[in-house]
Structure formats: C-alpha cells, structure tokens
Amino acid sequence: RPETATAEITLQEPVAAKKPVDVIFCKELIVDEETGELLTKRQYKEKHETRKYAGFRRKISSMDQVNTTLVETSGRTKPSRIASALQLEPGKPFRWDSNRWRSIASSGIFAKVLRASPQEAEDGSVQMLIVAQEAPARHLEYGLGRSLYTGAWEGELDFEHGNLLGGGEVVGLSVRRGAKEAQPSVRVRFSDDHFGLDGGYEVEAFSDFIGGEKSVAPSKEKSALVVSGEQTAISEGDPTATLSASEEKNPIDEVEVVGEPDFDAEVLKNRRGATFRLQNPIDINMVQHSAASWSVERTSTQSGLHEDIGAVSLLLGPFERQLPLEARSNIECRLTTGTRVQQKQVFNTDEYFDRFHLKPYAAASATTRQIFPLLKTSTKHKRPVVLALRHAVTTSTPNLPRHEARAQGIANTIRDSTDNGLVASALRGTTELRIPVDIPKIQTQQDGKLVFFGDWLLATPNLNTPIYRKSSVGVGLRKSVQGIPVRYDLCYTWEGKIKGSVGLGRDFEA
C-alpha cells in the first residue's frame, strides 16, 4: 500500500486432515545370507545355533554385521492418541509443537522413529506421517531391593504392560517379599502419563508388609470405665471401684467397659489402601515439575487393631539448574498432611463422628544435590573426576504414623550406620569424590569408579528426645556387573568401628 508504505501478505494457513496423524509401523528382520529369507533375531539365532564361536555371539548381539531390512507390520499405538497429544484436530489449523513431539518420541512407546514429518493430502489438508518401530509392550523384571518400611532386603518380581490401550497406558503388578517377612507386599497400578505431558495420572492399590519393629511395652496398669445409670467413675488398678454420691447402685444398670487400647504400643503388621497421583497439577508456566497424590489406607497390628489414615502430598521439583564449568544442581520438596482415625472403644454419645479419635499430622522434606566436574582423566571416554554433594532436611509434627516415621529413619540412614528406628526430624549430608577407573583387558562397559565419601546425620525420634549425631567416612568401589550396578563401601563409623557393606544401585545425580 503506497499510502501507508506497508507490504500486505496474504496466505492460506494449512488445516489438519480428517485423520491428523497416521502411523506406519515397521519391524527389523534379518536377511539370511544363505537362503535370502526374512527371519527375526530369534529365528536366525535358532537356525544357526550350531555356530558356537564367540564372534557369532557378538555378531548376533550387536547386529552390526548382519543384513537387515524393514517390513511393514501392525502396532498397538493409536494415531488418534498422538493427534490429541499434539493438539491436532480435523479441519483446524495445523500447528506443529516440537516440544510436544519430543515428549511423545521419548515416552518409550517407540523403539526407533524413522520418519516424522507433515505431508499434504489430496484435498490440500496436512497430515502428520510417522514411520516408527514400536517398542515391546510387555516387560518382566526381577531383582533385589530394600524395603522402605522395614529396611530388609526383598526379592522383587515386576510385570508391566507399557501400552495397554494404545496411548502409552501402563498396567503393572509388583510382588516383593523378604526372607523373614510374614507376608508378601503386592502392588497393582494403572497409569496414563499422557506421553509425559500435562494431566498424567496413576492409580495404585497396595498391600505392604510393615512389620519387623520391636514392640513398645504397654503400661501394666490399665484404666477401666464403669458406666451406670447415675454415675461414671475411672479407677486405676481396681476396675470395680466407683466414685458416687450414693452407696446404693443397681447392678443391672452397671456396665464395665475395657479401657482404650494404645495403638502406638502395638506391633504393626501391614497396610492396605489405594493412592491416586496427578502429574503437574500446577501450571507448568508457574512450576515446571509438580505432582500431587491422595491416599487412603488401613494399618493393622499383630493383635488385630486397625487404624485408618488419609493423606495428601504435594511434590515440587526437581528443579534443575546449570552452573558454571558444566556443574549442575537440583532441588525438590515434598509436603504432606493427613490424619489418623482411630475408633473409640468407649463412648457415651449417639453422634457417629464422636465415636472416632482424630490425630492430624504434617511432614515436609527438601533435598538438594550438586555435581561439580573437576578434571578430565585418561580413561577411555575421558570421564571426569566429580565432586558430588547432597543435603536433605526432614521434619514432621507429632502423630506421624509409625510406619512413616520408620520410613523416614530408613531414608536417612548413612552408610554402615546402626538402625535409626523412628525419626521425626533429621538433617543429613553427603560428600563424595568420584574418581573413574578403567579395568584393563575388559571389553565390557567401563563405568568403574573409586569413591571417597563422608556422611553425617542429625536426627531425633520426637520433639521430647535429644538430638543424636552419626557420621562415617570411607572409600567405595562402583562397577556394573551384567548391567546391575554393584556398590561396595568400607568405612570408619562414628562408633569407632570399621565396617563394610555391599549394595545395589547407582550414585545420585543432579
């Protein structure tokens, strides 16, 4: 427009096709060098199983020298679910969101994405075409781990279907049991994380063994409550004694009721309930990572007493941050509030809610981690020497359920320390110097490390107990054996003893 000295551009915005996303599934097959037929990896291995030399086994495992081809096949993933995640609707403007696609591609439903690009349809609309190999949906894993509530080593068997309804939904069954545990711990879960985007959720039903603690000796003198038509009395030691203004009483109207049992003096047995978790309940523009959970459960003791617990938790983080010189750090926080509900054995009201005793509680924790690469080494992949720091603070109010206090004690255990028991509040720190080490003449993954560490802990079981301190320093070795990360630590403890321990799991990261 000459009068305004502006250029006017007219364009037609492409719209999404009736089927906004189409997925072509393919699988990789081996071309047999002798017959030219297409075989799966298992079929090819069975056909040539007489070849037992090591070179053939390496060739099969890596498939780097085997001729392969891709053939079209069927898959479970529904294109409509991907279109919904990409926010593509038929007839609406086609808008490509690279962040959403990145989340879908890394969700685990695809083993390999060969092509992902928009293409024009015959009617001029645009369709997203994806050519990919679908990842195996069924997984069966087994291993060892430590119980969160007893601290004992447990064998674990876990089955999972990772794409149940075609949108990355996961259904899983986990069974754990220790050698000295009276019953197994079982969990059944269903989750749909929406490919890692907003609105993901998980529903889990559980039955956990939480025994293994020492009982607390109850008081030898129990109170008894005597209720009559005209008087009420509580006596210590003699349950037949009463306090009344008149010595005459009707024995027919008199009822003797046993005093309230002390739930906290009983030995715990198990907990059963359900948990609902919601991913990113807070707008990601305000808080990038968050999760909320609601749980209800019933705990039981060895003597048959029950207690109901309802709780709500909010997890914030981890919030990651890049520091100078390739260092990194993160921080995460958890807030929990809930109440314990105990049914009264003695009550003199017809109101339903007055028959229960409520014990509200709250807990909070925060953990921060820092990783500082110091200098490169002469190892195969130039792995650096790393200084790693971790600090955590935990606190809670009275009435915290005992199994949760026990879990806090186990979570705050330092290396080769004695059992913490119940912990209400704790402050813990760890410093590690990780030096990478290569093992010569070993062709497996070189991930060995020599670790010098120092741990310390300040904790208290309740507000009326003095704070105690523990610490340890030592050296450890890290190495993966057939994909399983193995740890060995030798340390000098706060008790003046030298102890060694073997464990599983990788070192913390940021």
Side-chain angles (χ1 to χ4, degrees):
R1 295 183 180 182
E3 62 275 12
T4 60
T6 58
E8 185 176 293
I9 301 176
T10 302
L11 55 85
Q12 181 179 1
E13 190 174 19
V15 297
K18 293 182 180 179
K19 187 179 180 181
V21 175
D22 189 21
V23 182
I24 298 177
F25 300 98
C26 59
K27 62 180 178 180
E28 189 176 26
L29 297 178
I30 300 176
V31 181
D32 190 277
E33 65 270 17
E34 297 177 357
T35 63
E37 62 179 326
L38 300 179
L39 304 173
T40 64
K41 183 179 178 181
R42 175 177 294 180
Q43 291 172 338
Y44 184 75
K45 186 176 181 179
E46 291 176 352
K47 181 177 180 180
H48 301 277
E49 62 182 356
T50 55
R51 305 178 186 179
K52 295 296 185 181
Y53 56 88
F56 175 77
R57 288 196 295 269
R58 287 198 299 270
K59 180 179 178 181
I60 288 297
S61 62
S62 63
M63 297 182 67
D64 54 353
Q65 298 179 4
V66 177
N67 292 327
T68 61
T69 186
L70 296 175
V71 297
E72 188 172 346
T73 185
S74 59
R76 296 187 62 88
T77 304
K78 296 180 179 179
S80 59
R81 290 298 306 272
I82 298 179
S84 176
L86 289 173
Q87 296 181 339
L88 297 178
E89 300 180 26
K92 298 293 182 67
F94 185 93
R95 297 177 180 176
W96 175 252
D97 192 324
S98 59
N99 292 328
R100 285 184 168 270
W101 167 246
R102 215 167 16 242
S103 181
I104 296 171
S106 61
S107 65
I109 61 171
F110 297 130
K112 183 185 297 183
V113 178
L114 304 174
R115 178 186 175 186
S117 60
Q119 62 177 8
E120 186 175 0
E122 295 180 356
D123 59 356
S125 59
V126 178
Q127 182 186 64
M128 178 69 180
L129 178 63
I130 301 173
V131 182
Q133 292 179 247
E134 203 170 34
R138 298 179 181 87
H139 303 277
L140 180 62
E141 299 178 352
Y142 57 90
L144 292 173
R146 298 196 70 176
S147 169
L148 177 65
Y149 296 107
T150 66
W153 285 98
E154 296 177 325
E156 181 174 356
L157 185 66
D158 187 271
F159 172 77
E160 182 178 276
H161 194 298
N163 198 1
L164 184 66
L165 304 177
E169 302 87 355
V170 177
V171 61
L173 171 65
S174 175
V175 180
R176 308 187 323 271
R177 187 166 189 173
K180 298 182 179 180
E181 293 180 353
Q183 62 187 56
S185 298
V186 181
R187 290 180 176 245
V188 180
R189 64 188 181 279
F190 175 83
S191 65
D192 182 3
D193 68 350
H194 292 186
F195 303 106
L197 300 171
D198 301 338
Y201 66 90
E202 179 182 66
V203 181
E204 182 181 58
F206 57 84
S207 175
D208 292 334
F209 177 76
I210 57 176
E213 63 176 356
K214 296 180 180 180
S215 62
V216 180
S219 174
K220 294 183 179 180
E221 295 185 352
K222 297 183 179 180
S223 298
L225 181 65
V226 179
V227 181
S228 66
E230 298 180 353
Q231 69 250 358
T232 301
I234 297 179
S235 63
E236 297 292 336
D238 184 5
T240 62
T242 60
L243 299 176
S244 66
S246 174
E247 294 183 1
E248 295 182 359
K249 58 181 179 292
N250 189 349
I252 299 179
D253 295 336
E254 186 179 277
V255 179
E256 182 177 348
V257 184
V258 179
E260 292 288 347
D262 188 357
F263 187 89
D264 290 332
E266 298 286 334
V267 178
L268 293 174
K269 182 180 180 181
N270 59 33
R271 61 190 287 261
R272 294 174 179 173
T275 301
F276 176 78
R277 299 182 181 91
L278 185 62
Q279 179 179 310
N280 291 329
I282 304 176
D283 188 348
I284 59 174
N285 295 322
M286 300 175 57
V287 179
Q288 189 173 7
H289 300 290
S290 63
S293 66
W294 297 262
S295 65
V296 290
E297 63 183 82
R298 165 168 283 194
T299 60
S300 302
T301 67
Q302 297 285 2
S303 63
L305 293 180
H306 300 288
E307 179 182 58
D308 297 319
I309 301 175
V312 179
S313 294
L314 177 64
L315 175 65
L316 303 176
F319 305 111
E320 301 177 356
R321 180 183 179 186
Q322 293 295 324
L323 303 177
L325 302 177
E326 299 183 356
R328 55 195 183 275
S329 69
N330 68 23
I331 184 172
E332 62 181 354
C333 305
R334 179 182 293 273
L335 304 173
T336 302
T337 182
T339 185
R340 301 163 58 187
V341 182
Q342 298 176 356
Q343 186 171 0
K344 297 178 181 179
Q345 301 296 321
V346 179
F347 52 87
N348 55 359
T349 177
D350 292 332
E351 294 294 333
Y352 178 77
F353 290 104
D354 289 341
R355 302 180 183 184
F356 299 94
H357 184 43
L358 302 182
K359 293 184 175 181
Y361 68 91
S365 65
T367 303
T368 178
R369 307 173 185 87
Q370 295 85 29
I371 301 294
F372 300 95
L374 300 181
L375 53 91
K376 296 291 181 65
T377 62
S378 58
T379 55
K380 182 178 181 180
H381 299 288
K382 306 297 181 183
R383 293 180 293 152
V385 176
V386 171
L387 176 64
L389 306 175
R390 179 177 61 188
H391 296 87
V393 59
T394 303
T395 186
S396 61
T397 63
N399 298 330
L400 183 71
R402 276 187 298 155
H403 62 281
E404 297 296 344
R406 171 72 170 160
Q408 290 187 169
I410 294 174
N412 286 285
T413 301
I414 63 175
R415 273 167 279 208
D416 283 329
S417 171
T418 54
D419 186 6
N420 291 328
L422 306 183
V423 168
S425 300
L427 180 63
R428 177 170 59 101
T430 295
T431 301
E432 294 184 350
L433 182 65
R434 304 170 183 171
I435 303 175
V437 177
D438 281 351
I439 302 177
K441 298 183 180 181
I442 297 294
Q443 300 300 323
T444 58
Q445 180 182 3
Q446 293 288 2
D447 61 352
K449 284 182 290 186
L450 184 67
V451 179
F452 296 91
F453 62 85
D455 298 338
W456 57 269
L457 171 69
L458 300 174
T460 178
N462 54 64
L463 297 178
N464 299 322
T465 305
I467 297 175
Y468 59 85
R469 177 180 179 181
K470 295 182 179 180
S471 61
S472 66
V473 294
V475 60
L477 296 175
R478 308 287 184 266
K479 182 70 179 75
S480 293
V481 179
Q482 295 185 347
I484 302 176
V486 180
R487 312 155 55 99
Y488 177 77
D489 293 318
L490 184 66
C491 65
Y492 180 77
T493 70
W494 61 285
E495 300 172 302
K497 300 179 181 179
I498 297 178
K499 296 183 179 180
S501 64
V502 178
L504 302 176
R506 301 189 182 278
D507 293 321
F508 64 88
E509 287 291 340

